[in-house]
């Protein structure tokens, strides 16, 4: 995300009369909710029953790679990072490269941690493309690796209305432009923005899909106009499309669920983006495929959201909500979005009551960090096995000891497509706050989980934990591993990351890469640490 939510008062573009009525109803309900930033403590009855209150005792998770990514102190071939809060940290891993995005910046690394490109603005991949994708730099860019086709996918939202005359030259394929290296460690300024036209024009979503597995090579570029504000994109790889849900505003209870025509984009051909408006729903996550095994032919993308609604003051629930998004590219009128279907889970309360809360304490300051507790976090994992498929979802919730823990779920998808809860747990083994998780599942069914961790006595850093299918249900049996220990408190803003990111290595389908923020000793701004982890038996 870009600037702090409290500084933004954006509404979605005009919709149908029924949608306008919904907005008015939402505004009235929002007025009844607790004031923004109110920290809500405690847990609902029954939440404590699924808490894991002791650390796993089994050694096993190995840290096999660790290096600094974009952030304070990082200098790459093209200078230093231009820092913005929150970091909006995203990571993807291919056969030879690691690509990272942080807000408006991106960089390309070899797998040993050597930076070979960047940091440069995320819209650099659209150089020569024209239109909003080349002219406007927004935050929230997200990178994915499509392991089915061995291609890279970069998604860049445009947060300003695009003047009608600003037209892209697309779709168009071009080599990534690589500027000459520099020894100047000064961050490169972002290019000037064109004049805004707040009264006319749509927003846009920009897609770049690499033509090969080399991110330094050619990219196919696309721009799709949208009527709704495209905040917080969460792209997911699925056989029949790239699914990208977004939020349409911070004061509006509505989401935009879109899918782009993956098969044509992989070939650089003209493609379509198809969207559905979803009112009265929390942040949506579309299922993101881990591994090479495809879902059964015709399987719709499974979409999850947490229950409750922070804007209405409803910050606890005992359910997940499920939709099935089935796209039909031959006859788009037959595309369906079915749901929500209720999946009962153990009760939970959003960590501190949700987003924009001065929540997680830090040493030596009264400045707390935001919880982002109102939403399921990226990614929603889908992994298919011989007789079933698994979905893994995570979010941040209050715990019985008054801090924060990671609630996680494994859902099972049967061969007939029914979805049911297999296991759940809240990882809260001590008095630390653990929050902003991201999960992955390797080819043996081991689950890896990265997250931020800290409290009033411990500077926030990044940690990782794992479980094997043989571990007791609802628990992480492997001991926690530290990726990065914090050395200072962040005092400039309560916004912290907004999300972390896991990625499965396509070479072995075992190694789980992860990235998150920390502050070095004496620093006033975040750095990022990239790590790779492997669990026993998966080679």
């Amino acid at each position: 995300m870009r600037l702090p939510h409290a500084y933004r008062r954006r509404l979605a573009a005009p919709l149908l009369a029924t949608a306008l009525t919904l907005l008015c109803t939402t505004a009235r309900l929002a007025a009844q909710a607790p004031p923004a930033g109110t920290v809500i403590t405690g847990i609902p009855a029954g939440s404590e029953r699924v808490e894991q209150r002791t650390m796993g005792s089994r050694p096993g998770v190995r840290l096999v790679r660790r290096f600094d990514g974009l952030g304070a102190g990082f200098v790459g071939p093209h200078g230093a990072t231009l820092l913005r809060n929150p970091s909006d940290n995203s990571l993807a891993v291919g056969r030879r490269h690691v690509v990272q995005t942080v807000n408006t910046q991106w960089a390309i690394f070899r797998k040993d941690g050597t930076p070979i490109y960047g940091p440069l603005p995320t819209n650099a991949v659209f150089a020569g493309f024209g239109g909003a994708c080349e002219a406007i730099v927004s935050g929230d860019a997200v990178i994915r690796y499509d392991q089915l086709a061995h291609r890279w996918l970069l998604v860049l939202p445009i947060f300003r209305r695009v003047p009608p005359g600003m037209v892209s030259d697309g779709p168009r394929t071009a080599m990534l432009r690589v500027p000459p290296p520099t020894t100047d460690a000064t961050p490169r300024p972002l290019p000037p923005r064109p004049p805004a036209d707040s009264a006319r024009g749509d927003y846009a979503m920009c897609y770049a899909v690499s033509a090969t597995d080399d991110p330094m090579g050619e990219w196919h570029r696309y721009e799709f106009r949208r009527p709704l504000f495209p905040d917080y994109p969460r792209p997911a790889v699925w056989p029949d499309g790239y699914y990208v849900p977004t939020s349409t505003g911070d004061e509006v209870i509505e989401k935009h669920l879109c899918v782009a025509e993956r098969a044509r984009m992989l070939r650089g051909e003209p493609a379509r983006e198809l969207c559905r408006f979803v009112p009265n729903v929390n942040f949506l996550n579309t299922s993101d495929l881990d591994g090479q095994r495809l879902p059964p032919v015709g399987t719709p993308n499974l979409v999850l959201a947490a229950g409750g609604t922070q804007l209405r003051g409803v910050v606890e629930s005992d359910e997940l909500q499920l939709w099935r998004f089935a796209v039909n590219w031959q006859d788009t009128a037959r595309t369906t979005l079915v749901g929500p279907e209720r999946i009962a889970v153990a009760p939970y309360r959003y960590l501190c009551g949700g987003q924009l809360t001065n929540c997680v304490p830090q040493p030596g300051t009264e400045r707390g960090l935001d919880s982002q507790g109102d939403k399921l976090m990226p990614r929603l994992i889908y992994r298919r096995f011989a007789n079933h498929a698994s979905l893994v979802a995570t979010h941040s919730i209050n715990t019985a000891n008054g801090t924060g823990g990671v609630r996680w779920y494994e859902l099972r998808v049967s061969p007939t497509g029914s979805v049911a809860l297999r296991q759940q747990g809240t990882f809260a083994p001590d008095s630390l706050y653990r929050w902003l998780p991201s999960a992955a599942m390797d080819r043996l069914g081991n689950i890896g989980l990265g997250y931020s961790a800290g409290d009033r006595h411990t500077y926030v850093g990044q940690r990782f934990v794992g479980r094997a299918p043989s571990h007791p249900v609802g628990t992480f049996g492997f001991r926690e591993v530290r990726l990065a220990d914090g050395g200072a408190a962040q005092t400039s803003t309560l916004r912290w990351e907004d999300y972390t990111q896991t990625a499965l290595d396509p070479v072995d389908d075992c190694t789980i890469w992860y990235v998150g923020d920390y502050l070095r000793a004496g620093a006033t701004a975040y750095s990022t640490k990239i790590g790779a982890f492997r669990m026993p038996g998966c080679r």
Side-chain angles (χ1 to χ4, degrees), residues 170-171 222 224 261 264-265 268-272:
Y222 297 84
F224 298 110
E261 200 169 7
R264 298 183 67 85
M265 296 169 81
E269 299 172 351
R272 295 165 288 179

Side-chain angles (χ1 to χ4, degrees), residues 152-451:
W152 301 89
L153 168 69
L154 187 141
V155 173
L156 174 65
I158 301 300
F159 293 140
R160 306 174 74 210
R161 292 191 182 278
V162 181
M166 184 181 289
V167 180
S168 65
D169 181 17
R172 186 178 177 186
T173 301
M175 285 291 296
L176 179 68
R177 294 184 185 177
V178 183
T182 179
T183 56
D184 185 359
T186 304
R188 294 183 180 221
L190 295 177
R193 291 181 174 182
D197 186 343
S198 60
R200 299 187 301 162
D202 287 332
Y203 301 99
M205 187 66 76
C206 307
Y207 293 77
V209 179
S210 67
T212 69
D213 72 342
D214 182 3
M216 303 287 283
E218 287 189 320
W219 291 74
H220 310 309
R221 290 90 58 84
Y222 297 84
E223 177 189 315
F224 298 110
R225 298 292 173 90
R226 292 185 176 190
L228 303 179
F229 187 76
D231 195 12
Y232 212 73
R234 300 172 168 206
V237 174
W238 202 248
D240 62 10
Y242 293 128
Y243 287 77
V244 185
T246 59
S247 175
T248 65
D250 296 323
E251 295 84 24
V252 184
I253 309 173
E254 61 188 24
K255 300 295 175 283
H256 211 193
L257 190 57
C258 299
V259 55
E261 200 169 7
R262 172 179 174 268
R264 298 183 67 85
M265 296 169 81
L266 290 172
R267 298 190 294 267
E269 299 172 351
R272 295 165 288 179
E273 185 186 57
L274 184 66
C275 297
R276 291 289 184 267
F277 166 72
V278 188
N280 294 323
V281 65
N282 229 317
F283 283 76
L284 296 168
N285 263 6
T286 46
S287 45
D288 191 25
L289 188 68
D290 269 354
Q292 291 282 343
R293 190 163 189 167
L294 302 181
V297 175
T299 299
N301 190 273
L302 301 172
V303 185
L304 277 186
T309 310
Q310 184 179 353
L311 283 179
R312 292 177 173 154
V314 182
V315 298
E316 64 180 60
S317 182
D318 59 0
E319 69 175 13
L320 300 176
Q321 295 178 326
L322 171 72
W323 288 259
R324 302 168 192 270
F325 193 8
V327 66
N328 187 319
W329 293 116
Q330 285 69 46
D331 182 358
T332 57
R334 299 178 65 182
T335 294
T336 59
L337 178 63
V338 179
E341 174 184 330
R342 182 180 186 272
I343 299 176
V345 299
Y348 56 85
R349 182 170 295 157
Y350 302 162
L351 178 57
C352 299
Q355 68 169 355
L356 300 182
T357 50
N358 196 55
C359 172
V360 180
Q362 303 181 87
T365 179
E366 291 305 309
R367 164 59 71 205
L369 300 176
D370 190 17
S371 70
Q372 292 292 328
D374 60 319
K375 54 185 70 70
L376 296 182
M377 302 306 296
R379 299 175 297 134
L380 171 60
I381 303 305
Y382 177 98
R383 166 76 74 166
R384 189 181 179 194
F385 297 95
N387 299 316
H388 72 276
S390 288
L391 287 172
V392 180
T394 63
H395 57 142
S396 309
I397 68 170
N398 286 351
T399 60
N401 65 5
T403 61
V406 174
R407 171 65 69 84
W408 62 278
Y409 311 93
E410 182 188 1
L411 309 176
R412 286 288 175 91
V413 186
S414 74
T416 62
S418 62
V419 180
L421 180 67
R422 163 64 176 171
Q423 60 176 325
Q424 61 185 322
T426 302
F427 189 64
D430 52 38
S431 62
L432 288 179
Y433 284 75
R434 288 172 174 82
W435 88 112
L436 292 177
S438 187
M441 177 178 274
D442 70 22
R443 62 183 175 83
L444 297 185
N446 300 310
I447 297 174
L449 186 68
Y451 43 83

Side-chain angles (χ1 to χ4, degrees), residues 383 441-444 446 504-513 533-535 537-539:
R383 166 76 74 166
M441 177 178 274
D442 70 22
R443 62 183 175 83
L444 297 185
N446 300 310
L504 241 295
D505 196 311
V507 172
D508 59 15
D509 206 14
C510 283
T511 304
I512 300 173
W513 293 75
F533 301 85
R534 197 175 300 138
M535 280 174 267
C538 205
R539 301 177 184 272

